[in-house]
Amino acid sequence: MNYKQILTNIHREVSALKNTGEVASYIPELAKVDKDHFGIYLNNIHGDNFEAGDADVTFSIQSISKVFSLAMAFANQGNKLWERVDVEPSGNPFNYLSLLEREKGIPRNPLINSGAIVVADCLVSTLKNPKEDFLQFVRDLANDQSINFDKNVVASEKKTGFRNYAIANLLKSFDNLHNSVEDVLDFYFHQCAIAMNCKQLSNAFFAFANRGKCMQNNTPIKPNQAKRINAIMLTCGFYDEAGEFAFEVGLPGKSGVGGGIVALLPNEYVITTWSPALNEKGNSYYGMQALERFTTETNSSIF
Amino acid sequence: MNYKQILTNIHREVSALKNTGEVASYIPELAKVDKDHFGIYLNNIHGDNFEAGDADVTFSIQSISKVFSLAMAFANQGNKLWERVDVEPSGNPFNYLSLLEREKGIPRNPLINSGAIVVADCLVSTLKNPKEDFLQFVRDLANDQSINFDKNVVASEKKTGFRNYAIANLLKSFDNLHNSVEDVLDFYFHQCAIAMNCKQLSNAFFAFANRGKCMQNNTPIKPNQAKRINAIMLTCGFYDEAGEFAFEVGLPGKSGVGGGIVALLPNEYVITTWSPALNEKGNSYYGMQALERFTTETNSSIF
Amino acid sequence: MNYKQILTNIHREVSALKNTGEVASYIPELAKVDKDHFGIYLNNIHGDNFEAGDADVTFSIQSISKVFSLAMAFANQGNKLWERVDVEPSGNPFNYLSLLEREKGIPRNPLINSGAIVVADCLVSTLKNPKEDFLQFVRDLANDQSINFDKNVVASEKKTGFRNYAIANLLKSFDNLHNSVEDVLDFYFHQCAIAMNCKQLSNAFFAFANRGKCMQNNTPIKPNQAKRINAIMLTCGFYDEAGEFAFEVGLPGKSGVGGGIVALLPNEYVITTWSPALNEKGNSYYGMQALERFTTETNSSIF
Amino acid sequence: MNYKQILTNIHREVSALKNTGEVASYIPELAKVDKDHFGIYLNNIHGDNFEAGDADVTFSIQSISKVFSLAMAFANQGNKLWERVDVEPSGNPFNYLSLLEREKGIPRNPLINSGAIVVADCLVSTLKNPKEDFLQFVRDLANDQSINFDKNVVASEKKTGFRNYAIANLLKSFDNLHNSVEDVLDFYFHQCAIAMNCKQLSNAFFAFANRGKCMQNNTPIKPNQAKRINAIMLTCGFYDEAGEFAFEVGLPGKSGVGGGIVALLPNEYVITTWSPALNEKGNSYYGMQALERFTTETNSSIF
């Protein structure tokens, strides 16, 4: 498979499309990003890698970080984690608070905000230096010690993240938040504000494509945990477009409002795209286009 | 009508019923109140008044305060108020957050928590010394300068009122809270923590039965505002038991989780009951019993 | 009070407003009605009556019939009726099916479709000749034996009333419909398709303003039942505009998609308006305008 | 892999578990089935097959038939099908009618009742002899001309399927049902009432594991359609336990209230289990146990 050629072609074709998406504006700091960025990076199980466009420009990983926090908490706590968060798709696009209320404070899954905030609470409870330890976990997964938080994004989100404050307080009212709202959201806003590029993300997700093992390092993620995290990504990774992504792309993956998407074919490869303009469901417009074309052309799918 | 005799009989009969209700425990300070208190007070348009039982023991008025804040904001702002809060019954018992989310941050009515928090925000914006000015407004309505906040209840609610923090943050995320969450909830927790007895409440509600005029003082409440506040009490004053109250009792009124209920027959009388044990819908069990008997025996109803 | 002059003035003023409403089209037969009709009729407790405009043109009473069926079932069964239908406002404008599903087949109140279908089921179970007996009940209330079903409207609704078929089947699945869907809906479509004019409706509602007694005949409606039916009209008579109607008009009442509205001041009068063009909530646009003006000018309200 | 030995062991181990599930009773005819039946059948891509227990006792396939009707409609109409039904998980366990109402008559996916009824409507519109043609399609997929409808189950469901009548009428009210409710449900009740055994089901699903090709026959299912149907099975095949199944078992599959479950590993095998007692989510209790053990022991998963 000539991945280099395929990525180059797709990058060219998709770049030629009118970019109808919009850069996320609800976090003011994210709204400053140039809409025209577009990068792709693929690394396969054999150690090869291929790129096209802005694959080494860093961006805010946002919700993609939920996979890292899930992996760390799952590795730490094992199946005890599932007493506080479920593994079902949320179905409802808009009303995560409503669902949370109906289901008495047990979030639908760890990849929506409410679930990720519960996972963050678990990490705040169990880690010695929560933010530092989590950052180190991500650096080790990516084998890159230069990865860091973007403090401007943290500050921006703290000032405007009222919906997340609402969620955390609602969780607290249901006794499903053990630390203070402030401590948990400080951690959560930091995890979302990690800045990475396509290459670093692809490297960090390698473990999920490779039964829990990094290319270079050991990780605490067990093979059957990697498998299950992939299952959760497939059913819950794209909000209310999860079914559509499974249907059109056919790979486990996770998107973020910073415009990044990571997807993977177990035992084969990880592919990361980045383009900040989002479609109406909140997923990168160019990224979705690129991934659909990629899996069609390479005829790769878990199905 | 021999009100004295009627109140005495009802007090005796209802006191003989097994009190199946439970004292509200979600605000720890309220849980300390003795379940056996039971008072009734009636004052009529002619200046007579009648009482039975613990009519002069003060208690936390809680949600009954929402009628006072509504009256003050309506008097201050007129119909502009209705741009930020609706006047429809909420229907849904449990999920005020869900409704608020579905309806994009416009609360259903000013007598549910979300609506009362918006009203509180209006008062924080327009009053010079919000808490003091509001307290003075209530004192003047009741013609009693001894009325005050119960600081222990304020402190208790600040520590545990996570659901109200969730609501205020959700309102903020919809741009329907103009002041900070902290400032608005500080005001709101104070308004709910006013301590009054049955007599003071009956006196303070006199204006709503009397086209906006107190017995002694003038008020800023216009006749047609008093009329409309009564309409809102009738359709929205008892959460998801509003229809039941209209059906069984047939008067505008408002209940609070402290166990108080105030009801009124326009141009006739105000009646206040207090008994802290609540039925499953959150309304005083003895109070509901007493009011049903009272309107049946006196054959009084707005219908 | 010079009712004649007031009605004439209001009729003229409201007729001068641009009629922004739309005639209901979901029942094809109703869509044929001329949008420009506009009638008002008032009869008071003293036996006087006054009219303006098209007060004697008949129209399809539609949901107004729910008050008649409720009154007949309540008179027949007493409080047993409330085991199968509640008395709470529905709150949710659009999704009565959803509410019905959430609440396990117990409709919110007898004035929404699901509740009225349960009431219809009760009448089908207890009446000897359900349709004939019900029609006779309405004729007797109105003291007018010429009132009849409009068979074209019945046929039109049978062909297109899929949502009502859905509701009836859902009730059946919850065991809250004892007769066949076909029999109950045949009755229900007939009750809604009764044709009456403003005068006949005002006469028929006289009993609700007069503690259960007609002007000429006795009725089986007890005084406390009339009172309770008025309470239900106030809290539930205007779908999701019930709070607004209580707030602006301040009277118990009921509207129908045929463009009729009946409202009443207990112990005083009944007023009926008819204009077929509906506002976006499904209530007659001219009718709502006329009633707001009327209660403001006469300063009449139950509050 | 010694499939024979594995199946035998699992059958023995699971049979030893206390069978806590309950046979579905809402279709009276299904309630008659003996709770103790338990069969497993596996056929792989190389033409081998293995069985344990009651693998050749026929049962009512119920919702498993939705995969067949989806495949037939998708093959017939291509992507036009998705204008009338979505591909997203439903999330909400209980309230499919509510969701349908909120989303204006577009069902969430073709594997919940509302979606399958829309698919049935498509087949009624396009097939010459809908029931016969559909049965032939299933017979050809399974390469077994003896497969047939169970007329008793059809009759039982026609008499008691009120919820399905409600759904069909609601779809009709949203103009998303083109044929009559009676015609569509007659087809739908027949498709659900097909009787098959584990062996026949495994053979019929072979095409989905084998890129659209049967072992013996050609089918109209294209490779990329088979892939997409598998994606829908994974995200939507188990109602509100879809995430759990993906998480624990990790294979696309579909369950039915008759107690059958079919699951498949693309390009490898199909495995069918049958045991009529259901867990509280409506999936076969023994079947879920058996499949979890099977994928754990064989270490097979799409993830």
Side-chain angles (χ1 to χ4, degrees), chain B residues 82 87-89 91-94 102 108 227-228 230-232 234 240-244 246-248 266 301-303, chain C residues 82 87-89 91-94 102 108 227-228 230-232 234 240-244 246-248 266 301-303:
Chain B
W82 311 118
V87 296
E88 294 298 330
N92 285 323
F94 50 90
R102 179 152 24 101
R108 266 303 173 96
K227 214 168 71 173
R228 280 166 166 75
N230 289 340
I232 296 174
L234 190 97
D240 53 318
E241 211 172 16
E244 184 78 10
F247 183 84
E248 293 291 353
S301 156
I302 59 171
F303 302 112
Chain C
W82 312 118
V87 296
E88 293 299 331
N92 286 322
F94 52 90
R102 178 152 23 101
R108 267 301 173 96
K227 213 168 71 173
R228 281 165 166 76
N230 289 340
I232 296 175
L234 190 97
D240 52 318
E241 211 172 17
E244 184 78 10
F247 184 85
E248 293 291 354
S301 157
I302 60 171
F303 301 111

Side-chain angles (χ1 to χ4, degrees), chain A residues 188-230:
Chain A
Y188 179 70
F189 291 149
H190 273 84
Q191 87 171 55
C192 289
I194 289 177
M196 291 171 80
N197 60 33
C198 292
K199 178 180 177 179
Q200 291 165 331
L201 274 169
S202 275
N203 286 334
F205 270 69
F206 187 88
F208 304 112
N210 192 35
R211 310 189 164 276
K213 282 207 198 105
C214 278
M215 220 176 309
Q216 295 84 0
N217 311 71
N218 275 331
T219 80
I221 306 164
K222 299 204 187 74
N224 73 347
Q225 290 176 335
K227 215 168 71 173
R228 280 165 166 75
I229 290 168
N230 289 338

Side-chain angles (χ1 to χ4, degrees), chain A residues 248-292:
Chain A
E248 292 291 353
V249 176
L251 299 178
K254 184 74 201 84
S255 67
V257 292
I261 303 178
V262 192
L264 61 91
L265 184 62
N267 307 313
E268 283 295 332
Y269 64 73
V270 182
I271 182 168
T272 303
T273 62
W274 174 53
S275 165
L278 309 180
N279 67 18
E280 56 189 8
K281 306 269 181 138
N283 299 312
S284 168
Y285 175 66
Y286 272 12
M288 296 294 270
Q289 289 288 333
L291 289 169
E292 277 181 43

Side-chain angles (χ1 to χ4, degrees), chain B residues 18-260:
Chain B
K18 187 170 157 47
N19 196 347
T20 59
E22 293 294 330
V23 177
S25 61
Y26 73 97
I27 305 174
E29 195 65 23
L30 293 186
K32 299 179 184 169
V33 176
D34 180 355
K35 181 174 167 171
D36 289 334
H37 281 302
F38 181 29
I40 314 182
Y41 190 94
L42 180 145
N43 53 343
N44 71 12
I45 208 83
H46 314 297
D48 310 316
N49 58 73
F50 312 92
E51 60 180 279
D54 301 328
D56 54 7
V57 181
T58 60
F59 56 91
S60 195
I61 66 169
Q62 292 294 318
S63 289
I64 299 172
S65 69
K66 293 169 183 170
V67 179
F68 299 136
S69 59
L70 166 61
M72 195 178 194
F74 197 8
N76 282 357
Q77 312 208 338
N79 287 320
K80 257 191 57 176
L81 182 63
W82 311 118
E83 295 167 13
R84 294 182 56 194
V85 58
D86 206 345
V87 296
E88 294 298 330
S90 81
N92 285 323
F94 50 90
N95 55 356
Y96 25 96
L97 264 97
S98 305
L99 253 187
L100 189 58
E101 187 163 46
R102 179 152 24 101
E103 294 174 3
K104 310 257 160 81
I106 302 299
R108 266 303 173 96
N109 66 66
L111 300 185
I112 51 174
N113 287 18
S114 53
I117 290 171
V118 166
V119 171
D121 184 51
C122 293
L123 293 176
V124 171
S125 288
T126 55
L127 300 179
K128 199 161 174 189
N129 300 299
K131 288 179 287 191
E132 294 73 14
D133 295 355
F134 178 72
L135 182 60
Q136 193 54 50
F137 175 78
V138 175
R139 286 171 170 175
D140 290 348
L141 276 183
N143 198 34
D144 187 331
Q145 304 302 314
S146 73
I147 293 167
N148 222 324
F149 302 118
D150 180 335
K151 296 285 186 183
N152 290 329
V153 173
V154 173
S156 191
E157 204 148 352
K158 277 205 181 176
K159 241 190 293 181
T160 61
F162 301 115
R163 182 171 281 268
N164 286 321
Y165 282 101
I167 291 171
N169 276 291
L170 190 54
L171 287 167
K172 192 93 185 159
S173 79
F174 282 114
D175 273 332
N176 199 9
L177 205 79
H178 300 167
N179 299 282
S180 77
V181 166
E182 286 68 28
D183 285 353
V184 176
L185 289 186
D186 179 57
F187 178 90
Y188 179 71
F189 291 149
H190 273 83
Q191 87 170 57
C192 290
I194 289 177
M196 291 171 81
N197 60 34
C198 291
K199 178 182 177 177
Q200 292 164 331
L201 275 167
S202 274
N203 286 334
F205 270 69
F206 186 89
F208 304 112
N210 192 35
R211 308 191 165 277
K213 283 207 197 104
C214 276
M215 219 174 312
Q216 296 83 359
N217 312 70
N218 275 330
T219 80
I221 306 165
K222 300 202 187 73
N224 73 347
Q225 289 174 337
K227 214 168 71 173
R228 280 166 166 75
I229 290 168
N230 289 340
I232 296 174
M233 277 196 256
L234 190 97
T235 52
C236 315
F238 291 81
Y239 308 108
D240 53 318
E241 211 172 16
E244 184 78 10
F245 193 80
F247 183 84
E248 293 291 353
V249 177
L251 299 178
K254 184 74 200 86
S255 67
V257 293

Side-chain angles (χ1 to χ4, degrees), chain C residues 10 13-14 17 288-298:
Chain C
I10 288 176
E13 288 164 26
V14 171
L17 297 176
M288 297 295 272
Q289 290 289 333
L291 290 168
E292 277 180 43
R293 285 159 199 249
F294 180 79
T295 53
T296 300
E297 258 173 76
T298 59

